[in-house]
């Protein structure tokens, strides 16, 4: 193991310390294949390292805010691509990033061939879905208005509860990427998955922050 | 139904010929004829005594998919067989405007109380290829959703007094699915166990997602502020570290700070269990790493695998006490490090 590290460090002399750090982590992760979350962690770190390298190589001097944005962006995309686009929130994240030209480079580099395969197609479908949903909602709204004119039942407790749930579901839809075009059942499934992967992301980032603190 | 249709035609290629030229009426007739045949076969196979005239719509029998498995004779075509059946029923029901007032009935073959009972038959809902063939009837049993082996069917049992038209049945299935998922979410989100009610749970979930997202923001900000400082003395750090690492042999005596740092780095964000395994397999090559990792986990116990790790670590301690000494050494050195950092 010692020798591997030395070799890696030799390769990396001209990179930044952070990269060294990631490489060491990366190296260790390659050997660990335990359960699902560690697998995801490994994927995530691998992608993130790539993403950060791309980000850092593009511009040498950046303000802190810019750095932060880049770091977050690369982390998000890494997370999405670590999920391998099996879930719709990750697809939505990637297609969102693809709209931006600068981010597009990052996505292309991270995903490789897959992104070209699914990119444009995905964008169109998600747009369409949102639009049709909007139309549907509008037409539903008309129906509701007529109903409410007839008799007012919005005061009953079940109605209030329903309204509360609906409002919260809409908030949740806004929180989960790509949630606008989902129905109630799939939004909950997606939220489940999204929470799990956010946890992985937070875990990894925390560890790295601690590591960098120790380095200083 | 759209899906079932071609299959059915395929099945009856022998009986129905030249389907392109046929009129709709003829096709329907052929279908009805076929259905009668199927019923006959069906009842012969099962020794079922109830005669079903094709005109009697109430008597249409939809066999229970669960029962299908018990029919060895049907094994070759049973999957395809019932989709046409359902399609036919719809057509027949549509044809008969006179019977439209009476509710459509369908029974379990299991029950064997066919036709005689009008109230209190077990209801069943079929969802899938033939989109919505509905059913009804109330039972005193609890409403329950069972997924059968065939993905096309979902069984629903309605409680007494519950609505039994297809829409409310579908709605009930959907709601039950959602609440099942909500239960998973409840387990996932901390502090969600005590809350009852969907709105409160959703609130908690939203808060949790938001807090996670904010945490990511915060951490990335932190990383962004950390990096510039690192960039200043990259070269120094790397050179130093490199030489030290290459010089260091992995012995327990080497407790200099940079070595410690490297070890700690090794442990960040990785699976320490893997280390443990490697260690237990390959002897005491990397005991220090392991000890450091354990120190770390005591310091920041938020990581998910902590519990397992610490348990394992304790087990290890019981097995041999040598690493324990190491760990003590290391905690000492770690404190030293902390002091240095504070200074």
């Amino acid at each position: 193991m010692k020798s591997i590290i030395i070799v890696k460090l030799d390769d990396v002399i001209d990179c930044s310390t952070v990269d060294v750090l990631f490489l060491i982590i990366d190296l260790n992760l390659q050997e660990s294949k335990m359960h699902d979350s560690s697998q995801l962690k490994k994927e995530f770190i691998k992608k993130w390292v790539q993403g950060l390298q791309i980000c850092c190589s593009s511009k040498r001097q950046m303000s802190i805010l810019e750095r932060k944005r880049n770091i977050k962006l690369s982390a998000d995309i890494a997370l999405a691509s670590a999920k391998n686009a099996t879930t719709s929130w990750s697809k939505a994240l990637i297609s969102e990033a693809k709209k931006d030209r600068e981010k597009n480079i990052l996505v292309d580099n991270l995903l490789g061939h897959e992104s070209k395969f699914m990119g444009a197609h995905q964008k169109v479908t998600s747009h369409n879905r949102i639009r049709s949903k909007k139309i549907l909602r509008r037409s539903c709204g008309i129906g509701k208005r007529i109903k409410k004119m007839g008799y007012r039942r919005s005061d009953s407790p079940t109605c209030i509860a329903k309204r509360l749930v609906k409002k919260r579901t809409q908030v949740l839809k806004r929180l989960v990427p790509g949630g606008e075009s989902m129905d109630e059942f799939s939004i909950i499934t997606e939220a489940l998955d999204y929470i799990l992967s956010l946890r992985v992301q937070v875990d990894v980032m925390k560890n790295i922050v601690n590591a960098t603190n120790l380095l200083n | 139904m759209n899906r079932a249709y071609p299959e059915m035609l395929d099945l009856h290629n022998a009986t129905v010929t030249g389907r392109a030229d046929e009129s709709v009426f003829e096709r329907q007739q052929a279908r009805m004829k076929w259905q009668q045949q199927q019923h006959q076969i069906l009842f012969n196979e099962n020794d079922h005594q109830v005669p079903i005239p094709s005109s009697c719509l109430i008597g249409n029998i939809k066999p229970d998919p669960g029962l299908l498995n018990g029919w060895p004779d049907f094994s070759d075509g049973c999957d395809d067989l019932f989709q046409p059946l359902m399609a036919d029923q719809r057509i027949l029901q549509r044809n008969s405007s006179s019977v439209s007032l009476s509710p459509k009935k369908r029974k379990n073959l299991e029950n064997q109380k066919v036709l005689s009972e009008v109230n209190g038959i077990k209801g069943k809902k079929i969802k899938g290829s033939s989109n919505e063939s509905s059913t009804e009837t109330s039972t005193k049993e609890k409403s329950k959703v069972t997924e059968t082996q065939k993905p096309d069917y979902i069984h629903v049992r309605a409680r007494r007094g519950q609505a039994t038209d297809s829409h409310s049945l579908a709605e009930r299935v959907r709601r039950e699915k959602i609440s099942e998922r909500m239960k998973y979410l409840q387990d996932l989100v901390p502090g969600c166990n005590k809350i009852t009610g969907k709105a409160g749970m959703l609130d908690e979930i939203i808060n949790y997602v938001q807090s996670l997202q904010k945490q990511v923001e915060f951490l990335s900000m932190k990383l962004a502020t950390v990096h510039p400082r690192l960039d200043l003395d990259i070269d120094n750090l790397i050179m130093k570290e490199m030489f030290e690492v290459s010089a260091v042999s992995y012995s327990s005596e080497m407790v200099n700070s940079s070595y410690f740092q490297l070890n700690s780095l090794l442990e960040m964000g990785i699976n320490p269990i893997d280390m443990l395994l490697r260690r237990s397999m390959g002897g005491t090559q990397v005991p220090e790493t392991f000890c450091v990792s354990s120190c770390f986990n005591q310091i920041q116990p938020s990581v998910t695998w902590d519990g397992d790790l610490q348990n394992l670590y304790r087990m290890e301690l019981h097995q041999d006490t040598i690493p324990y000494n190491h760990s003590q050494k290391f905690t000492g050195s770690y404190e030293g490090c902390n002091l240095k950092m504070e200074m």
Side-chain angles (χ1 to χ4, degrees), chain A residues 146-164:
Chain A
I146 293 164
K147 242 184 202 171
K148 271 184 186 171
M149 293 273 276
Y151 55 100
R152 208 175 155 78
R153 50 166 200 179
S154 58
D155 296 335
S156 74
T158 49
C159 265
I160 293 168
K162 241 179 222 173
R163 220 185 306 139
L164 284 177

Side-chain angles (χ1 to χ4, degrees), chain B residues 25-26 59 97 125 156 179 204 212 224 243 249-250 271 302 326:
Chain B
F25 180 68
E26 277 170 345
S97 55
K125 154 118 219 257
V156 179
S179 64
E204 207 62 29
L212 280 175
F243 285 126
S249 64
Y250 273 57
N271 212 334
S302 63
H326 284 313

Side-chain angles (χ1 to χ4, degrees), chain B residues 59-74:
Chain B
N60 279 338
I61 287 187
K62 174 71 196 65
D64 188 12
L67 215 63
L68 279 180
N69 304 325
W71 296 344
D73 299 333
F74 270 91

Side-chain angles (χ1 to χ4, degrees), chain A residues 15 48 66 88 137 157 212:
Chain A
C15 296
W48 197 22
E66 234 175 329
S88 42
R137 208 178 295 151
T212 45

Side-chain angles (χ1 to χ4, degrees), chain A residues 67-68 72 194 199 210, chain B residues 188 208 213 217 231 300:
Chain A
R67 272 174 167 283
K68 181 232 159 188
K72 189 176 181 301
Y194 186 56
R199 266 189 186 174
N210 282 331
Chain B
L188 203 68
Y208 189 57
Q213 281 175 343
E217 290 266 339
D231 281 346
Q300 33 134 251

